Structure formats: C-alpha cells, structure tokens
Amino acid sequence: MDTIASLFSFITWPVSWVIVQFHKVYGAIFGPDTGWAWGLSIVSLVILIRICLIPLFVKQIKATRAMQTLQPEMKKIQERYKNDKQRQSEEMMKLYKEAGTNPLSSCLPILAQSPFFFALYHVLNGIASGNKIGYINDSLLASARQAHIFGAPLAAKFLDSADTVQKLGASLTDVRIVTAVMIILMSGSQFYTQRQLMTKNVDTTVKTPFMQQQKMLMYVFPIMFAFFGIRFPVGVLVYWLTTNVWTMGQQMFVIRNNPTPGSKAQASYLERLLKHVTHHGKTRTRGEKAIVKAIVAKGRERNEFERKFINGLSKAGLVAQADGTVVKGESAVAVESEDGTTTAAGAPQRRQQPKRQSKSQRQSGGPKAAGADDEESEPTTSLTKSTEPQDAPSAAAGKPASKPGNGARSKAQSGQRKGPQRPKSPSKK
C-alpha cells in the first residue's frame, strides 16, 4: 500500500493544502488539536472531491443504463461469434461506438478519486511515522498526532501493535473497537448501496449476465472493504466511510428522481408523478417534462408502468403532448392496452336498444326491413294482386281476403300449391 501511495505523491501537496485550510476553520471552532477539527477536515475534503466528481457520476449513470440496454445485443454477439474471439471483440467495440458508451465509463468516479485516496493515505501514514509531508509542518504534525477520534488516534490502524498505539497516546482496545465499528459501517453502507441498485433500479423484464455480475459485486465489495480496512489508518477509514455514505445518498436521490425504465423505482416514480400531474393539471418542472416527453416518444414500445401512467392521465381527462406538457383532453379519450392498441374510455357509452319489429315480421320470423320506424309499419307485398285462378272464386264468393303478409303462410297451411294444378295421371294396371 505504501508503494502504491508513493506513486501518487504528486497530488500530496494539493490534498494536504486543502486539509490544512479546512483545519484552520474547524480548529478555530473546536480547537486545533481536537479530533473534531481534523476529522471534519477530512470529511470536508471528501465532500469537495465528490462535488467536483458529480459530472462523472452523471456520466456513470448514463453508461450503466446504456450497458443494461445493450446486454441482449451483446449476448447475441457472444453466441454468434463464440468461436471467433477477435471478431467478437470487434463487434463489441462497434456496438459500443454506435451506442456511444464504454464499459469503463461506469468506473470513472472510482478511478477519478483514487489519486486523492492514496494521497490522503500517504499524508496520514507520514503523520503516523512522524514525517512531514506536503503542507504538514512540525506544528501541524504534532497537532495531528494528538488528535483522537472517539479515543483512536488519527493515524492508528487495526493491525498496529500495542507499542505503536501507545506512542500515539491511546490504548489498543480503543483503536480496535473504533476501527472495527468503522469497517462494519463502511462495508454495510457499500452493501446497501449495491443492493439498492439491484433491487430497485434494474429493469426486471430483461435477464442478462450484467445483472449476475452486479449481484456478485454486491457481496464481493463489502468483503474487499473489510479486508483492506484493517490496514487503513483511522483517518482513511473516515474518508472512505464518508464517501460511501455520500454515494448511498446520491444514488437514493437519482433512483427516486430519475429511475431506470422498467424498474420498481420507475413504477413508484410514475405513481407519484401521476398524482402530482392530475392534482395540478400540468407538468411544472423541467425533469417532469423530460420524463413525459420520453414516454410519449416511445409509442408502442412503452413498458407496463408507462402504459399505466398514460392510461391514468387519460382517465383523468388529460393528454400527454410530445413536448412533455399535459393538456386537458376530450370527454372520450384513448386508453392504451398491453398490446399497444387503444380503446375509448372516459366517456359514457349509449346503450343500444333493440328496435321493435312489425307484426308481419314477428309472424314470419324475418328481420325488420331497413328504414322502418319503431312503430308497426304497413307491409308491402306482391300478393295483393294475384293472377291465380283459384283466388277468383273465393273473392267472388265474398270470402274475406287473406291478411297482408300472411298469404304464403295461409296457402301453405291449406295445402294449395302456387300456379295451375296438373291433372293426376291414371294409375297403371
């Protein structure tokens, strides 16, 4: 560790200078030789570094999401060129270039703060050894060696011997207890941060090897922190615990306000957004408009939670626009189903009453003529003027005419056939 720290000695001067400046401020409040002054100086150094790394953190989030969306394509390339590693690498790089991402982009914040971490380790190790490093002069060195954080010296380690700890003015038991608690908190915060990412901010509809890798790292990182933590000075443990807590809070903020599409965090966010938009009748912030704009642009490619959000707006009489705004819609609005089709909703549908049939239609069992009114209409039939000879005697005899529309039925019942009758042929003997 000392060899690695010496490689970043070029950044020791700016790191030690920042610590000294913060120590002047906190020393005036808590006293220059107190653990609060030196501990808060290290915490302030972490906060300053992490604020400067926020753009890299945003780039890390975008790179991680891009890698998640590329996992299905990457798996296809691996299966297609499983026997040709060179072609596989070429296709992978081509895929990264087209998507505008890189696997190393997700590691940028860790890589960027590594020089500051090793430079701080170099400074604290010099304090433990009684050596002046950077802006740490004799008076500051003596002050730092007297500083204790909950009874543990700033430069003490978990593996230090009793003689080494006694030279720093503390007991080995206090050092072991303080460092053990800080290592547990450091590992626990790292585990919670990774678990939060896996359980809330991962698209559950896509099962990829990337998710298995993240799940493995969720257990590997805490073990690594515990292994290296027993070799870190108390001041470095303060640094690393602070940066883990910062990362955890920063990730909670991102998951709550800009979740991964298809994740549980997105479902919770869209539920809150739906309540907010339906209550105010509009999107008010730039972030809300950006989310709604992205959902509208997806069209049929929306996931389950996004369709539920659009349907919720429709039921409230609101329509999402392409620019991310929300306006009031008509009474009949479109509701999108799971397969992407739309159906009318929100407007009461008129019940279709069956139309009444005329008496002749009810007797004959046929459908109602087109254009007939609800009341019984007068039937029109071609049987009013009949040229059949058998009809004439009945009319001349004063028999009542057959009912309109029922002539064919009456004839069928009387056994008469339409047209002239053929004479019966004599039976052959």
Side-chain angles (χ1 to χ4, degrees):
M1 183 66 69
D2 295 338
T3 304
I4 298 176
S6 61
L7 296 176
F8 296 95
S9 58
F10 66 92
I11 204 172
T12 301
W13 283 87
V15 169
S16 60
W17 182 84
V18 172
I19 292 177
V20 168
Q21 302 307 313
F22 281 122
H23 177 262
K24 291 180 180 179
V25 176
Y26 295 118
I29 301 174
F30 302 102
D33 300 335
T34 60
W36 285 103
W38 286 99
L40 290 176
S41 299
I42 297 173
V43 171
S44 301
L45 173 67
V46 175
I47 295 175
L48 179 63
I49 293 174
R50 294 310 299 266
I51 290 175
C52 295
L53 294 179
I54 286 178
L56 292 180
F57 180 76
V58 174
K59 192 173 183 179
Q60 177 195 21
I61 294 174
K62 293 181 179 179
T64 303
R65 291 184 180 177
M67 291 297 296
Q68 289 176 351
T69 57
L70 291 179
Q71 288 301 313
E73 298 297 329
M74 293 170 61
K75 190 174 182 180
K76 292 180 182 178
I77 292 175
Q78 291 174 354
E79 294 176 353
R80 186 180 304 172
Y81 304 105
K82 58 183 178 180
N83 297 326
D84 190 352
K85 298 298 182 182
Q86 183 178 357
R87 182 65 184 277
Q88 186 181 118
S89 301
E90 293 176 357
E91 293 295 327
M92 288 288 190
M93 296 304 297
K94 183 179 178 181
L95 182 64
Y96 295 150
K97 187 176 181 180
E98 291 176 354
T101 185
N102 193 306
L104 296 178
S105 299
S106 58
C107 303
L108 283 177
I110 297 178
L111 296 175
Q113 66 177 330
S114 296
F116 301 97
F117 169 77
F118 287 112
L120 178 64
Y121 178 87
H122 193 46
V123 171
L124 294 175
N125 193 45
I127 292 174
S129 304
N131 299 323
K132 295 182 295 183
I133 295 179
Y135 278 89
I136 305 296
N137 53 29
D138 292 332
S139 61
L140 291 173
L141 180 62
S143 175
R145 289 176 65 87
Q146 295 177 13
H148 290 65
I149 298 177
F150 300 109
L154 198 66
K157 304 175 186 177
F158 184 87
L159 296 178
D160 284 344
S161 62
D163 295 337
T164 304
V165 174
Q166 189 174 6
K167 292 179 181 179
L168 295 174
S171 65
L172 184 61
T173 304
D174 293 340
V175 173
R176 294 282 174 87
I177 293 175
V178 172
T179 53
V181 171
M182 295 182 71
I183 290 171
I184 292 173
L185 293 176
M186 186 174 63
S187 301
S189 60
Q190 178 65 33
F191 176 80
Y192 180 80
T193 300
Q194 197 70 19
R195 187 176 183 275
Q196 183 181 230
L197 181 66
M198 288 297 302
T199 57
K200 293 184 178 181
N201 206 38
V202 173
D203 188 355
T204 56
T205 61
V206 181
K207 303 296 183 181
T208 63
F210 181 77
M211 296 176 62
Q212 298 297 328
Q213 295 174 5
Q214 293 293 322
K215 188 175 181 180
M216 181 180 64
L217 293 176
M218 182 173 64
Y219 297 98
V220 171
F221 275 158
I223 297 175
M224 291 177 58
F225 278 111
F227 176 76
F228 289 109
I230 59 178
R231 293 168 171 80
F232 289 161
V234 173
V236 175
L237 293 179
V238 172
Y239 174 93
W240 208 250
L241 177 60
T242 305
T243 192
N244 280 1
V245 173
W246 177 280
T247 302
M248 182 174 63
Q250 189 172 248
Q251 184 171 273
M252 290 176 63
F253 176 81
V254 172
I255 290 175
R256 179 177 174 82
N257 296 280
N258 192 17
T260 300
S263 62
K264 294 180 180 179
Q266 189 197 30
S268 301
Y269 175 79
L270 291 181
E271 288 179 2
R272 296 193 305 269
L273 181 61
L274 179 61
K275 292 180 180 179
H276 176 79
V277 173
T278 53
H279 177 71
H280 295 281
K282 61 180 180 179
T283 52
R284 299 191 298 177
T285 64
R286 185 180 300 177
E288 292 177 355
K289 292 181 180 179
I291 294 293
V292 175
K293 181 179 179 180
I295 294 175
V296 173
K298 286 186 177 182
R300 292 180 178 269
E301 300 298 327
R302 299 179 189 129
N303 57 44
E304 176 186 358
F305 310 127
E306 293 166 346
R307 284 194 296 267
K308 187 177 179 180
F309 173 74
I310 294 296
N311 293 342
L313 291 178
S314 300
K315 291 177 182 178
L318 301 174
V319 178
Q321 302 298 307
D323 59 352
T325 59
V326 174
V327 297
K328 292 184 178 180
E330 299 177 356
S331 59
V333 293
V335 175
E336 185 177 1
S337 60
E338 293 185 358
D339 58 355
T341 59
T342 55
T343 56
Q349 298 181 355
R350 295 185 60 184
R351 183 178 177 183
Q352 298 292 336
Q353 297 289 344
K355 294 183 179 181
R356 296 177 59 185
Q357 295 180 340
S358 63
K359 185 176 182 180
S360 62
Q361 288 175 337
R362 289 196 301 271
Q363 290 176 352
S364 62
K368 184 179 178 183
D373 297 330
D374 294 340
E375 302 295 334
E376 292 184 10
S377 60
E378 292 296 329
T380 58
T381 177
S382 60
L383 298 178
T384 53
K385 290 184 179 182
S386 177
T387 57
E388 296 176 349
Q390 62 269 24
D391 293 340
S394 62
K399 293 182 179 181
S402 59
K403 293 182 180 181
N406 201 24
R409 183 178 178 184
S410 62
K411 288 181 180 181
Q413 292 176 353
S414 61
Q416 296 179 357
R417 285 194 291 175
K418 186 177 180 180
Q421 301 287 335
R422 280 194 306 173
K424 294 182 179 180
S425 60
S427 61
K428 295 181 182 180
K429 292 182 179 181

